Amino acid sequence: MSVQETRIALRNAGRINPESIDDYINAGGFEALARAKQTERDRLIEDVENASKLRGRGGAGFNTGFKWSGARSSEGKEKYIVCNCDEGEPGTFKDRYIIENDPFTVIEGILIAAYAVEASDAIIYVRGEYEKPIGLLRGAIAQAEERGLTGNVNLRVYAGAGSYVCGEETALLSSIEGGRAEPRLKPPFPTDKGAFGKPTVVNNVETFSNVPMIVLNGTDWFSNIGNPDYPGTKIFSVSGDVKKAGCYELATDATLADVILELAGGATDGHTIKAIQLGGSSCGYIRGNDIDISVAFDSLRKAGKSLGSGAVLVLDETRDMVLQIQQILHFFAHESCGKCTPCREGLYQACKRIDRFVEGTASRDDLDMLLALSDLMASDCFCPLGQGALTAFSSAFELFPEDFEQRMVK
Ligand SMILES: Cc1cc2nc3c(=O)[nH]c(=O)nc-3n(C[C@H](O)[C@H](O)[C@H](O)COP(=O)(O)O)c2cc1C
């Protein structure tokens, strides 16, 4: 096998006992925090922002240091660091994998960020179903506190109620505050007015997990790995019709073929790949014979695709796109918070129409309604949940119209 993983966030996976801070320390853990604390704060942020060019791994690909500098320069003494481990995206299980293998790396990254922006409160928001990661994180925090490593930072784990929209950063903040998890209008951005109205940095688990190695190995080391515009690595959660489903961390100049064919072993025996849904349920499909494309964030975007959270759902030739879309639309209808009408009512209608395709009673009118809803919701929904809810449908219809047409009444 020619393609190898490059492990940064997962560097300790399988090498340390995730319940032992001694193992983590023996592997060089918390050296980065000590080094960061010897660095002037603005310099540290400048390094993360402009020299390392670390970008968010939670889906939006935003410059991490830019967020940190925004929160640092915001007025107000109290500041929050929030780590997003809601991970409600179907087919995404990388944050869980990081924590189950090494809960200390993300904690060290959070503590470095807290030092950088002078935050004395840090919250790791974990979906409630993630019982094992929650236990591991709480145990790891207790050990770090015993060793005096958390300093003046009050670091705690908040178990969410397990709703997809809780992963959207402003809905997450409302949930932390005890309110309904509904997205808020931006601006103000969380870096100005976040948790409890205080300046807040929200970053993903994988994003924070890269920070210790950037501090230890230097920004040049990091920015020279992978694609220069989205440097470093990305963890892919591969599931579906492949031989070896799982998490793989690759330099960002890899191709989708490297992930699927080389590391995940390709389609299961006797089958061919029909389509890949890259990025999660709100993202489009790629044809099975088009997988020789770069996984770098911006080049995918230019090609009209999305890296999203790094979910890679592989579908073989036996899969019917109508059934895929039915599952996705019902998922979104269930997860819509109901705040805005286009999302709430649009998804209700979309489910009714796609169900007719499954029953074999769909007409041209049902197809037209789904196509119209795709356009309308993409532009008129309040938050990206609704805006992306029909992306999978429009992409599936564009690439595999026959799957839909054969189910329509002639
Ligand atoms: C519906 C929805 C769900 C999201 N779920 C997650 C999630 O589970 N984890 C996550 O890190 N980001 C999620 N995001 C993105 C966050 O809003 C935010 O961009 C991210 O946490 C920022 O971290 P990063 O810059 O380190 O990527 C979601 C966004 C939307 C619209």
Side-chain angles (χ1 to χ4, degrees), residues 39-54 63-70 72 112 115-117 214-215 218-220 223:
T39 313
E40 207 259 316
R41 288 189 168 88
D42 289 335
R43 170 76 204 277
L44 181 62
I45 294 176
E46 163 73 19
D47 278 355
V48 174
E49 181 180 347
N50 294 320
S52 84
K53 298 193 184 76
L54 173 65
N63 183 299
T64 303
F66 188 77
K67 267 189 199 175
W68 295 12
S69 79
R72 173 148 167 76
I112 293 170
Y115 164 76
V117 308
I214 293 174
V215 172
T219 51
D220 283 351
S223 62

Side-chain angles (χ1 to χ4, degrees), residues 56-60 62 67 84 86-88 164-165 167-169 202-204 207 384-385:
R57 270 35 177 178
F62 199 77
K67 267 189 199 175
N84 190 343
D86 186 60
E87 200 158 66
Y164 178 64
V165 78
E168 194 284 326
E169 59 186 7
V202 183
N203 277 134
N204 171 258
T207 313
L385 185 150

Side-chain angles (χ1 to χ4, degrees), residues 78-99:
E78 272 177 74
K79 287 172 185 162
Y80 281 82
I81 302 290
V82 172
C83 174
N84 190 343
C85 185
D86 186 60
E87 200 158 66
E89 185 65 66
T92 307
F93 41 90
K94 66 180 178 75
D95 296 339
R96 170 185 178 166
Y97 191 78
I98 293 173
I99 292 166

Side-chain angles (χ1 to χ4, degrees), residues 320-332:
D320 180 338
M321 300 313 281
V322 170
L323 298 179
Q324 293 296 315
I325 300 304
Q326 185 191 35
Q327 212 176 36
I328 289 172
L329 292 179
H330 279 269
F331 166 77
F332 277 113

